[in-house]
């Protein structure tokens, strides 16, 4: 009975974790060597490490997206912000004598300005988040193309190469960057009043204002943070390919980020968010992508298969399914009590 109570109490947390484990096991059963990890020249290599490596940009974007969704918002512009920050990184590296730390600072500042723009439209002018961020989503890639003059700008920088493909303590540096940002965000959201206020604004903005919470500033801050996270992701993606591709950098990454937040069990209506489970959602998406690519499935079926499996995961985690599972547990508990 204790096991049943534990599963019933933590089913919302266990569902994404079990989904990830199931997908990994199924992939391992059809892909030989999927679970093997090797140490080569002090660096860890393997499909699981590759999933962590490739999931980093999405994880960073999803982190900012989760905070925005917590305020009952949405940020469709993160893909465009990635393209802009990547373009700034490449152009400043190639065309100026700026030290690399100043280049990175400028790229991060670009993301903050983009987030500030979205935040002002949403919190000051009360434009619906989906419309406000759609403006930058459409215009952002044009801005990135203006910065790169429509060209794919390539560059070489030892520091940026290390950020994109370097290793530290056997793991990719970009994974350490993501871990650092995840830990900081979790600490702020769970160990300070700021996280409570952000979720309170998303759950009921009117009630939050009545108790003295400055909702506009919190919403503005959430979009600035999302822009910052997208800029970090843009720098990593640009460093990865040693160039800026304004047309394809971060393309459709906003949809993967939103999906990861939803897979974590958060509601798009705002309120409670689950940051660590959001990262689990990102790993589910990246594992599916890697599994489909390594399975040899024709490219035209990739998105269909990915969407079908994600739909199955969402159905497993849906409120109706949880109600059905709860009813089964309650029925079993009653039967055990009678016996």
């Amino acid at each position: 009975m204790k096991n049943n109570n534990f599963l019933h109490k933590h089913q919302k947390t266990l569902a994404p974790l079990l989904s990830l484990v199931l997908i990994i096991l199924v992939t391992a059963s059809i892909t030989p060597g999927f679970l093997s990890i090797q140490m080569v020249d002090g660096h860890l290599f393997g499909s699981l490490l590759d999933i962590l490596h490739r999931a980093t940009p999405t994880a960073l974007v999803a982190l900012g997206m989760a905070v925005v969704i917590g305020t009952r918002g949405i940020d469709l512009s993160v893909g465009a912000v990635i393209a802009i920050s990547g373009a700034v990184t490449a152009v400043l590296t190639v065309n100026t004598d700026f030290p690399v730390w100043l280049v990175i600072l400028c790229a991060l500042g670009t993301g903050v300005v983009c987030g500030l723009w979205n935040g002002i439209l949403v919190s000051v002018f009360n434009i619906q988040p989906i419309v406000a961020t759609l403006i930058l989503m459409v215009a952002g890639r044009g801005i990135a193309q203006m910065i790169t003059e429509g060209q794919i700008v390539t560059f070489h920088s030892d520091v940026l190469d290390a950020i994109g493909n370097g290793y530290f303590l056997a793991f990719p540096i970009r994974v350490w960057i993501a871990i650092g940002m995840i830990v900081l965000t979790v600490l702020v959201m769970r160990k300070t009043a700021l996280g409570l206020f952000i979720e309170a604004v998303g759950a009921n903005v009117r009630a939050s204002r009545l108790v003295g919470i400055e909702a506009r500033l919190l919403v503005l801050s959430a979009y600035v943070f999302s822009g910052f996270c997208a800029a970090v992701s843009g720098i990593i993606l640009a460093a990865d390919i040693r160039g800026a591709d304004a047309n394809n950098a971060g393309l459709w990454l906003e949809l993967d980020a939103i999906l990861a937040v939803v897979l974590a069990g958060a509601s798009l209506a705002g309120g409670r968010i689950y940051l660590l489970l959001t990262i689990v959602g990102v790993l589910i998406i990246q594992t599916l992508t890697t599994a489909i690519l390594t399975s040899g499935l024709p490219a035209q079926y990739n998105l269909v298969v990915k969407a079908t499996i994600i739909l199955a995961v969402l159905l497993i985690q849906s409120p109706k399914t949880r109600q059905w599972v709860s009813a089964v547990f309650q029925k079993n508990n009653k039967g055990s009590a009678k016996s």
Side-chain angles (χ1 to χ4, degrees), residues 184-199 218 272:
L184 282 176
T185 308
V186 170
L187 288 177
V188 170
M189 291 298 292
R190 292 291 167 255
K191 298 299 181 182
T192 70
L194 183 62
L196 181 64
F197 290 165
I198 286 176
E199 291 182 341
L218 290 172
R272 184 73 171 174

Side-chain angles (χ1 to χ4, degrees), residues 9-20 58-59 62-63 66 182 186 190 256-267 272-285 313-314 317 322:
K9 185 177 180 181
H10 298 283
Q11 57 178 298
K12 195 167 186 175
T13 303
L14 290 174
L17 290 172
L18 292 176
S19 299
L20 176 61
T58 311
L63 207 59
I182 291 167
V186 170
R190 292 291 167 255
D256 279 351
I258 294 169
L259 187 57
V261 178
V262 173
L263 284 171
S267 168
R272 184 73 171 174
I273 57 175
Y274 308 93
L275 292 173
L276 294 181
L277 289 180
T278 296
I279 303 305
V280 174
V282 171
L283 294 177
I284 289 175
I285 295 169
V313 173
L314 289 174
Q317 297 178 203
R322 290 204 297 270

